[in-house]
């Protein structure tokens, strides 16, 4: 279906609920996925590690924190293995909502986790992309504190507009560290809405992406629309993005 619509890739989701049923968890699932990638040309370049968002160890104390830290690391390594096997190159770690970084202690604990999995990921040339709700300057400072290569940022146009961040400030602050972009629209302090109907300033978003020389993936995380009309909805979203890509020469 993605190939028929005109998409080029799918960002895979690895969540906590029913994770053992996820195709990248099993040899049979990975084999099927690799065959579909080969047959359709639709790549899976990135995996969004939502599992972490449901189990952020730094939100716990004592023995539970230690147990979850090990669990998070073990799960991340297994997903990195699968990602490399299917030909992908980016593990996206969301530090938003339930895993939002709320204190300096949580910042330091998160850095420990990122540095540990980054050492493993680097063996497979897999990058780590972080999505946070930190203010642009604070996010940039956070990235600078992390030791190691292959550590980058994810920019989400909708989450940023929902918080009230200015892409004219946020994108230049992160600059070349941006390795993945989620295309979404949200009302300020509100929910996800159809592209172009919320608070996201897409002219500013795409102009700034042009200025930093962005040439990587753009992932649709837009409003789902009506059930049963996914093909039409995604087609409209794709045309929306293409218009901006052409306007700004991306």
């Amino acid at each position: 279906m993605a190939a028929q619509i005109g998409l080029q890739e799918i960002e895979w989701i690895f969540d906590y609920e029913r994770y053992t049923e996820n195709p990248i968890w099993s040899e049979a699932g990975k084999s099927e996925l690799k065959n579909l990638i080969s047959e359709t040309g639709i790549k899976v370049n990135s995996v969004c590690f939502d599992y972490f968002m449901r189990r952020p160890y730094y939100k716990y104390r004592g023995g539970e924190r230690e147990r979850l830290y090990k669990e998070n690391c073990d799960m991340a390594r297994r997903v990195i293995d699968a990602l490399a096997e299917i030909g992908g190159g980016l593990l996206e770690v969301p530090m938003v909502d339930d895993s939002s970084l709320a204190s300096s202690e949580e910042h330091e604990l998160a850095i420990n986790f990122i540095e540990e999995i980054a050492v493993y990921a680097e063996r497979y040339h897999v990058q780590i992309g972080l999505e946070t709700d930190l203010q642009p300057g604070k996010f940039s400072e956070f990235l600078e504190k992390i030791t190691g290569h292959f550590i980058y940022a994810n920019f989400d146009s909708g989450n940023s507009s929902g918080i009230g961040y200015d892409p004219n400030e946020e994108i230049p602050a992160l600059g070349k560290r941006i390795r993945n972009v989620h295309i979404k629209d949200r009302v300020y302090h509100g929910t996800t809405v159809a592209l172009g109907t919320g608070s996201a300033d897409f002219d500013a978003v795409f102009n700034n992406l042009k200025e930093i020389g962005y040439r990587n993936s753009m992932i649709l995380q837009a409003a789902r629309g009506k059930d049963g009309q996914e093909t039409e909805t995604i087609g409209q979203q794709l045309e929306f993005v293409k218009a901006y890509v052409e306007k700004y020469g991306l």
Side-chain angles (χ1 to χ4, degrees):
M1 290 176 68
Q4 292 170 0
I5 294 170
L7 300 173
Q8 296 175 319
E9 68 173 281
I10 294 172
E11 180 171 279
W12 209 256
I13 303 293
F14 187 83
D15 213 335
Y16 174 66
E17 296 296 330
R18 300 166 61 190
Y19 69 86
T20 58
E21 298 175 38
N22 196 304
I24 67 169
W25 185 254
S26 67
E27 293 302 320
K30 287 183 290 185
S31 178
E32 181 181 10
L33 185 52
K34 285 189 289 185
N35 288 336
L36 286 168
I37 290 170
S38 177
E39 291 170 7
T40 64
I42 301 296
K43 298 180 179 180
V44 176
N45 291 321
S46 56
V47 170
C48 192
F49 190 43
D50 279 4
Y51 185 102
F52 180 81
M53 191 163 56
R54 320 298 178 196
R55 314 278 285 175
Y57 74 95
Y58 45 73
K59 297 293 185 182
Y60 297 80
R61 299 288 177 183
E64 185 70 355
R65 173 182 287 176
E66 293 179 9
R67 186 185 70 78
L68 284 176
Y69 178 81
K70 183 178 184 304
E71 176 189 302
N72 288 162
C73 290
D74 289 345
M75 296 298 291
R77 292 189 189 100
R78 181 153 177 173
V79 174
I80 289 167
D81 287 339
L83 183 57
E85 187 174 337
I86 63 175
L90 178 70
L91 179 73
E92 184 187 321
V93 181
M95 295 182 173
V96 295
D97 299 328
D98 291 341
S99 58
S100 180
L101 298 168
S103 67
S104 57
E105 180 191 27
E106 291 184 2
H107 282 219
E108 295 304 317
L109 290 168
I111 288 172
N112 293 340
F113 169 71
I114 297 161
E115 290 181 342
E116 178 158 343
I117 65 170
V119 171
Y120 188 82
E122 192 170 349
R123 301 177 192 172
Y124 299 95
H125 300 284
V126 170
Q127 300 172 343
I128 305 296
L130 307 178
E131 181 178 358
T132 79
D133 52 13
L134 296 171
Q135 294 178 349
K138 295 293 185 183
F139 190 8
S140 182
E141 291 173 7
F142 179 71
L143 290 169
E144 291 297 328
K145 291 180 181 179
I146 303 171
T147 301
H149 305 292
F150 289 60
I151 309 295
Y152 297 98
N154 178 85
F155 171 75
D156 187 306
S157 61
N159 289 349
S160 292
S161 68
I163 297 171
Y165 292 159
D166 182 354
N168 292 308
E169 176 186 357
E170 186 173 12
I171 295 175
L174 297 173
K176 298 290 186 181
R177 302 296 288 268
I178 298 176
R179 276 297 184 275
N180 196 29
V181 170
H182 288 167
I183 301 296
K184 182 191 301 178
D185 203 351
R186 283 179 61 183
V187 175
Y188 179 54
H189 287 172
T191 59
T192 300
V193 293
L195 296 178
T197 67
S199 301
D201 184 345
F202 286 104
D203 278 298
V205 167
F206 281 86
N207 183 54
N208 279 282
L209 290 176
K210 175 185 177 180
E211 290 298 315
I212 65 169
Y214 185 77
R215 289 294 184 273
N216 295 306
S217 299
M218 293 185 184
I219 304 297
L220 289 167
Q221 276 201 354
R224 291 179 178 272
K226 295 182 179 179
D227 290 345
Q229 296 182 11
E230 288 80 6
T231 299
E232 294 85 351
T233 299
I234 295 171
Q236 292 167 2
Q237 294 167 353
L238 186 57
E239 291 306 311
F240 180 94
V241 174
K242 281 183 175 180
Y244 280 97
V245 167
E246 292 172 5
K247 181 177 180 179
Y248 289 98
L250 288 170

